[in-house]
Amino acid sequence: MRRFSLKSLISEAFNAHQGWERQWRTPEPKAAYDAVIVGGGGHGLATAYYLAKEHGITNIAVIEKGWLGGGNTGRNTTIIRSNYLYEESEAIYEHAMKLWAGLSQELNYNVMYSQRGVLMLAHNSHDVQSFKRHVYANRLAGIDNEWLTPDEAKEFCPPLNISPDLRYPIVGAALQRRGGVARHDAVAWGFARGADAMGVDILQNCEVTGFRRDAGGAIEGVETSKGYIATRRVGVVAAGHTSVVMARAGLRMPLESFPLQALVSEPVKPVFPCVVMSNAVHAYISQSDKGELVIGAGTDQYISYSQQGGLHVPIHTLDAICELFPQFSRMRMLRSWGGIVDVTPDRSPIIGKTPIPGLYVNCGWGTGGFKATPGSGNVFAWTIAKGEPHPINAPFTLDRFRTGRLIDEAAAAAVAH
Amino acid sequence: MLLIPCPYCGDRPEIEFRGGGEAHIARPSDPQTIDDQAWAEFLFYRTNPKGLMAERWNHAHGCQRWFNALRDTVSDRILESYKMGEKPIGGGRA
């Protein structure tokens, strides 16, 4: 792998940029691998990267039925924060946050991580109580989160309308200053490039169609659209399609897949300095470095794999955006789309072992998985390498739905997040 | 937005309805004897199919009655709807 540096940029500038090589290979599948990752999104590629980097397992294939980062990695609104309520969630999202901070250097690839601050608006007394509880819980865990008055929120985000005449006036806000955004595609590409350089085979346009198990029931290989591949360890990181893949191994999952919609505006000059989200009126907004307003809408109410949803869902969010930021009311929206998110009953992910020996799963990130990408891959790689969960993902078992030891962020946030 | 055929009111826009998730999940008839895994499967585990799915709907802003529908989760096309206690005919609506 040719590293990016000031020297290489200058020399290529005088070479009409003819010397850049492909960022990763397009290999043919081998007959056998030490481990196979099913799903070439951010989480899957990060898993392969950390398996090779931290655990020395480089004979790995990442099998992706479409193209790299073409699912939710390329469809989300790229918000990164770690101010969750419960200790288990704080630990995993903060683990990711710390990896984000050094990720561009780690990968030698600019993921454009920008810590511009994430502002969560409170519109009623329940929001105030809930967000203050989050602030105090986060501080106890060593995670920055602070409470702002409406005037302080306005100072941090000047476009914000804090008029008391709003239908749902802003009565305060919680701010995580370390939160922000990153370039979603670059995350997938950076992990892919780094993993490939260590010998990981990335197999695109290859679908896992079945699993082969030995006499004892353990995984001994996967059937794919490009032939049979022998392996004793499989990590499924298939997001919205996890139920479909796991059904091919004969397992049912506590998951439902919903379309989650987002949209972007026409690009404009820098007008929006941070990320603003509101659970109560349901709006997520930031501005990309390209200039588009990136707006996150909600999920449709029915299970679907169609990667699109009803227009009333983004309209509901745009109503809220226009109320909070009246100057955007005449902006034109360029495009909207949907991604299929796999939602668990408690809105916390499942990362760990399954009842089938050799089969591991990392799923259930629901509507908020992008922020966890490096942390999720990091602890999942540990789990696959050692056959036991890392202490950080140990609480996120599939078994918690039997024991009742839920990590109920659904109730904590009172909204999909 | 889906156009949902309520078996009582006819075709109505989706915003009049509340989705109720997978249909035909029976509550365990002997709750005293089943183990925790069986409870977990009743409460939390779902088929989540890619393809044909039977699901419940409530016509919340209409007749307020519950019914079932058969929908393809890839195309989102609703093939038929049927009342609680009935079975789908499976051939799709004419």
Side-chain angles (χ1 to χ4, degrees):
Chain A
M1 177 182 84
R2 185 175 176 194
R3 289 180 65 81
F4 293 115
S5 65
L6 186 60
K7 183 166 158 278
S8 70
L9 286 174
I10 291 171
S11 70
E12 282 305 319
F14 288 100
N15 186 31
H17 293 285
Q18 296 301 302
W20 297 116
E21 55 195 25
R22 284 191 169 272
Q23 299 295 295
W24 51 83
R25 299 164 293 128
T26 307
E28 285 303 309
K30 290 189 232 169
Y33 289 96
D34 293 338
V36 163
I37 307 298
V38 182
H43 290 246
L45 292 164
T47 304
Y49 177 84
Y50 288 113
L51 267 172
K53 178 81 188 291
E54 297 190 347
H55 304 284
I57 302 172
T58 56
N59 186 27
I60 307 173
V62 176
I63 300 181
E64 165 57 49
K65 82 176 157 84
W67 65 95
L68 290 192
N72 298 340
T73 299
R75 292 166 189 266
N76 70 91
T77 52
T78 77
I79 298 170
I80 295 166
R81 62 185 179 90
S82 64
N83 50 355
Y84 281 69
L85 180 62
Y86 293 114
E87 286 171 5
E88 297 89 343
S89 317
E90 287 171 333
I92 193 158
Y93 290 108
E94 182 63 14
H95 182 54
M97 190 82 131
K98 295 213 163 97
L99 290 170
W100 277 115
L103 198 60
S104 291
Q105 286 73 23
E106 164 79 23
L107 297 176
N108 181 237
Y109 202 91
N110 189 2
V111 299
M112 297 166 74
Y113 178 42
S114 161
Q115 293 178 292
R116 56 186 68 177
V118 175
L119 198 62
M120 295 173 79
L121 303 178
H123 300 267
N124 51 52
S125 57
H126 172 79
D127 280 354
V128 173
Q129 291 164 3
S130 165
F131 289 6
K132 284 189 173 174
R133 187 181 172 206
H134 277 69
V135 167
Y136 300 139
N138 291 154
R139 286 190 180 175
L140 283 172
I143 295 168
D144 74 306
N145 197 2
E146 60 193 274
W147 178 254
L148 302 186
T149 64
D151 287 326
E152 289 167 336
K154 172 89 177 165
E155 197 182 335
F156 187 75
C157 181
L160 189 61
N161 181 6
I162 56 168
S163 159
D165 298 334
L166 283 182
R167 174 66 183 84
Y168 298 103
I170 293 161
V171 293
L175 170 64
Q176 186 172 31
R177 291 184 191 272
R178 285 185 309 145
V181 292
R183 172 87 202 283
H184 48 8
D185 292 331
V187 177
W189 297 337
F191 275 121
R193 173 174 172 264
D196 178 86
M198 290 183 284
V200 174
D201 281 358
I202 297 167
L203 311 173
Q204 299 183 74
N205 298 311
C206 180
E207 183 175 3
V208 170
T209 54
F211 296 85
R212 252 188 232 177
R213 294 160 70 179
D214 64 18
I219 292 287
E220 63 176 13
V222 291
E223 307 279 0
T224 77
S225 54
K226 291 185 177 175
Y228 176 71
I229 296 172
T231 183
R232 304 298 297 190
R233 284 181 283 199
V234 175
V236 175
V237 201
H241 278 75
T242 302
S243 295
V244 177
V245 175
M246 297 301 269
R248 289 170 187 164
L251 287 182
R252 268 162 73 87
M253 297 295 290
L255 293 173
E256 291 184 299
S257 296
F258 299 105
L260 174 66
Q261 296 189 61
L263 59 161
V264 292
S265 73
E266 58 191 339
V268 290
K269 287 183 179 178
V271 288
F272 204 76
C274 59
V275 180
V276 172
M277 48 189 281
S278 165
N279 292 347
V281 299
H282 207 282
Y284 296 78
I285 183 169
S286 64
Q287 187 176 22
S288 74
D289 291 344
K290 214 158 63 175
E292 306 148 324
L293 295 179
V294 181
I295 297 168
T299 52
D300 287 82
Q301 57 174 332
Y302 48 84
I303 287 172
S304 176
Y305 290 83
S306 64
Q307 293 191 323
Q308 59 186 11
L311 188 60
H312 60 293
V313 174
I315 285 176
H316 175 67
T317 287
L318 289 175
D319 284 346
I321 296 286
C322 291
E323 183 92 342
L324 294 171
F325 309 102
Q327 72 268 42
F328 295 149
S329 62
R330 278 171 293 159
M331 277 186 83
R332 283 165 293 196
M333 295 298 136
L334 272 191
R335 50 181 198 280
S336 70
W337 62 89
I340 303 305
V341 298
D342 45 327
V343 176
T344 57
D346 61 359
R347 302 298 190 272
S348 289
I350 299 165
I351 318 159
K353 299 199 274 190
T354 69
I356 297 176
L359 183 63
Y360 303 86
V361 70
N362 183 351
C363 66
W365 289 96
T367 59
F370 178 75
K371 64 175 80 70
T373 304
S376 152
N378 188 266
V379 297
F380 193 47
W382 169 295
T383 306
I384 293 174
K386 300 186 188 291
E388 287 300 325
H390 186 281
I392 288 177
N393 67 312
F396 294 92
T397 58
L398 182 58
D399 200 40
R400 72 177 185 270
F401 298 100
R402 181 185 64 82
T403 62
R405 186 77 179 83
L406 304 181
I407 304 159
D408 201 355
E409 293 289 345
V415 69
H417 54 77
Chain B
M1 190 185 298
L2 303 179
L3 190 62
I4 299 176
C6 171
Y8 304 96
C9 311
D11 289 347
R12 296 297 177 92
E14 182 198 333
I15 47 169
E16 293 186 10
F17 296 84
R18 216 32 228 164
E22 188 174 334
H24 310 306
I25 298 173
R27 185 181 169 85
S29 55
D30 49 351
Q32 305 302 324
T33 56
I34 65 166
D35 62 7
D36 290 350
Q37 186 61 35
W39 272 119
E41 281 166 25
F42 164 67
L43 288 169
F44 300 128
Y45 282 66
R46 296 293 177 261
T47 312
N48 198 21
K50 184 175 186 177
L52 214 55
M53 174 178 187
E55 64 188 354
R56 299 178 302 173
W57 288 95
N58 178 238
H59 195 182
H61 303 289
C63 65
Q64 302 189 352
R65 278 187 277 199
W66 283 94
F67 62 93
N68 296 318
L70 212 55
R71 183 172 54 87
D72 184 334
T73 62
V74 179
S75 66
D76 287 337
R77 200 163 76 89
I78 297 175
L79 302 175
E80 63 175 294
S81 63
Y82 51 101
K83 294 173 184 171
M84 286 290 166
E86 293 181 352
K87 290 200 183 318
I89 53 174
R93 285 188 302 151

